[in-house]
Amino acid sequence: MSPVRTAPAELTAGDAALRTQYLTEVLSLLYPRPCQASTEAGEGNLIAEYLVVPNAHRPRLLVPNASRPVAAAAVRRYAEPQSRMARLKRNAVVAAVHSRADRLVFRDRIRITGPVSASIDGYLSDALRRDLSVSVHIGPARANRKPVLQLLTPEGETFAFGKIGTGPLTQRLVRAETAALHALGSSGLTKLTVPRVLHAGQWRGLQVLVQTALPVWLPRAPLTPRRLTAAMVDIAGCCGYTTGPLVQSAYWHELRARLAAVAERPEGAGLAAAVDLLAAHSGETTLRYGAWHGDWAPWNMANLADALLVWDWERFATGVPLGFDAVHHELQKRIQTSGDARGAVEATVRRADELLAPFGVAPVARETTALLYLVDLAVRYLTDRQAEAGARLGVLGTWLLPVLIRRVEEL
């Protein structure tokens, strides 16, 4: 794993309030009683002191204040800036920490006291058998939001990232990523580099995964479409291929089962109708099936001169129509750069021929594959209840469903 993504849009007031509430929840999970979190200096054994970046009303990051090198490294490595402005802001925070001006810039601090053995710090130090400091990322509202921890050495080197599954969905995702990384580690990949599992287990009812930090701080190289596609093809074949008509495939039966589970949701009926039309038109189309990353987006990878680093494997799956990763990456890139999600869906489907040809997808099956991907993504959003969680694109009727339904009707 590598630094977590940064949101493409500025925080709204509502998102800021949700982050503040989430900060309290995260602290109570990572430092349960008898540990205590306080903004005031007090009695008791000090486990950690955190700077709240940028402040307690709009928390994005808890920076361990154990030492200047550790604090500066925590800021420098916690996120992968997606714009020049984001990079400048990140560098300004690093400079403030280095220049000892952090008390002027970051007025909000949280002190954690209590027995180390009861804290996440103590658990991870024992599990990994090394001294460490923990930095905590406070992400935007999403159904799959979970505590993401950056683990640093006493010298300020980022050596690992941790994910903590707290509820049914996030625990399932953390277990899935653990299994994915174990499988990928022995799959013989040659076109990309993935993290290794350092530790996996349970702590106080939470699911824990610790994985190596990929070296995203090394100099970047331009990523060519050819190199990206080659890496996606590498993943597609890492667990073997199968071939067969859509409606007779294991993928189709699994997709219909997932759809049935959300059929009663407000947008489930429209999605189910689109799937029925798709089956009637393309059900006998022969497709080839393989593996996919599941969330291959620009913020989940970094290209170096001699390696393409890819992280966040919690949605990895096998037996899906070839080319899903290419369609997903195109859609996410367009949404990120334009902010027009509905227009991004339209443009992505129009590029189906170009995106899917390198995967050997037959011309007759390319639009069907792109529409199947949209169905799969929509079912994921409904299953995860992204709209209820306040996710920015959680309401599918505003962007994805209208395009999907119209395109299926035009087949």
Side-chain angles (χ1 to χ4, degrees):
M1 185 178 174
S2 172
V4 291
R5 76 186 69 179
T6 52
E10 290 298 317
L11 280 175
T12 64
D15 186 54
L18 288 172
R19 282 181 188 251
T20 301
Q21 176 184 341
Y22 185 58
L23 171 59
T24 302
E25 295 173 3
V26 166
L27 289 172
S28 67
L29 289 170
L30 302 183
Y31 301 101
R33 292 185 180 280
C35 298
Q36 290 187 326
S38 173
T39 57
E40 305 291 337
E43 302 284 331
N45 178 59
L46 182 64
I47 298 173
E49 180 181 79
Y50 288 111
L51 308 177
V52 186
V53 178
N55 55 59
H57 297 293
R58 298 165 67 84
R60 284 183 177 271
L61 181 68
L62 297 183
V63 177
N65 202 28
S67 70
R68 302 288 172 181
V70 169
V75 175
R76 186 183 300 112
R77 300 275 169 81
Y78 106 93
E80 190 59 21
Q82 297 296 307
S83 68
R84 180 175 178 272
M85 182 58 67
R87 190 173 298 108
L88 290 173
K89 290 180 179 178
R90 190 269 315 269
N91 292 343
V93 175
V94 173
V97 173
H98 266 309
S99 65
R100 299 178 179 271
D102 54 277
R103 285 199 173 272
L104 298 175
V105 179
F106 311 113
R107 298 183 179 276
D108 295 323
R109 295 164 184 253
I110 296 174
R111 291 169 51 87
I112 309 295
T113 58
V116 175
S117 60
S119 71
I120 191 66
D121 303 56
Y123 169 77
L124 292 175
S125 181
D126 288 345
L128 300 173
R129 298 184 179 182
R130 62 188 303 172
D131 293 333
L132 55 84
S133 292
V134 177
S135 180
V136 185
H137 174 247
I138 308 299
R142 292 182 297 156
N144 53 317
R145 178 170 60 177
K146 66 188 76 63
V148 175
L149 314 179
Q150 180 185 176
L151 306 185
L152 304 104
T153 68
E155 296 74 34
E157 292 297 320
T158 300
F159 71 91
F161 281 85
K163 291 185 177 182
I164 312 295
T166 60
L169 171 61
T170 57
Q171 290 198 24
R172 175 173 60 81
L173 291 174
V174 171
R175 286 194 297 268
E177 184 162 17
T178 303
L181 293 180
H182 280 306
L184 292 168
S186 59
S187 65
L189 297 173
T190 61
K191 304 298 184 182
L192 70 162
T193 302
V194 304
R196 293 181 294 105
V197 176
L198 294 178
H199 171 73
Q202 287 196 333
W203 175 70
R204 294 179 175 266
L206 307 178
Q207 195 71 33
V208 180
L209 168 63
V210 181
Q211 51 193 283
T212 55
L214 297 177
V216 299
W217 48 85
L218 295 178
R220 299 299 177 86
L223 176 60
T224 64
R226 182 175 181 178
R227 187 174 197 181
L228 176 60
T229 299
M232 291 179 174
V233 171
D234 202 15
I235 287 298
C238 72
C239 298
Y241 297 106
T242 58
T243 303
L246 172 60
V247 294
Q248 296 178 30
S249 67
Y251 170 76
W252 179 256
H253 293 295
E254 187 267 346
L255 180 65
R256 292 305 298 251
R258 290 165 53 208
L259 180 58
V262 298
E264 302 303 318
R265 305 290 302 283
E267 295 165 314
L271 182 59
V275 169
D276 288 341
L277 283 175
L278 188 60
H281 181 274
S282 305
E284 298 305 318
T285 300
T286 296
L287 299 177
R288 201 175 183 204
Y289 309 88
W292 76 314
H293 175 283
D295 191 18
W296 201 319
W299 48 82
N300 285 336
M301 65 179 182
N303 190 53
L304 312 182
D306 59 352
L308 177 60
L309 314 177
V310 185
W311 55 88
D312 277 3
W313 291 89
E314 61 189 26
R315 301 288 188 174
F316 175 79
T318 59
V320 306
L322 293 193
F324 268 21
D325 272 329
V327 182
H328 182 83
H329 180 271
E330 178 73 11
L331 176 61
Q332 300 306 315
K333 181 178 67 174
R334 287 182 175 277
I335 292 175
Q336 181 189 45
T337 56
S338 72
D340 177 9
R342 186 165 178 169
V345 177
E346 289 275 13
T348 298
V349 175
R350 285 197 298 269
R351 287 201 66 204
D353 275 341
E354 184 180 352
L355 293 169
L356 297 173
F359 294 84
V361 180
V364 70
R366 291 173 189 169
E367 184 172 2
T368 295
T369 298
L371 295 176
L372 275 172
Y373 158 75
L374 293 180
V375 171
D376 199 292
L377 185 64
V379 172
R380 176 190 299 181
Y381 269 61
L382 292 179
T383 301
D384 293 354
R385 297 183 176 272
Q386 293 285 6
E388 291 90 330
R392 188 170 64 90
L393 296 177
V395 182
L396 299 174
T398 63
W399 62 290
L400 190 153
L401 279 182
V403 179
L404 171 63
I405 292 170
R406 181 176 58 77
R407 282 281 183 170
V408 170
E409 290 175 344
E410 292 174 352
L411 284 174

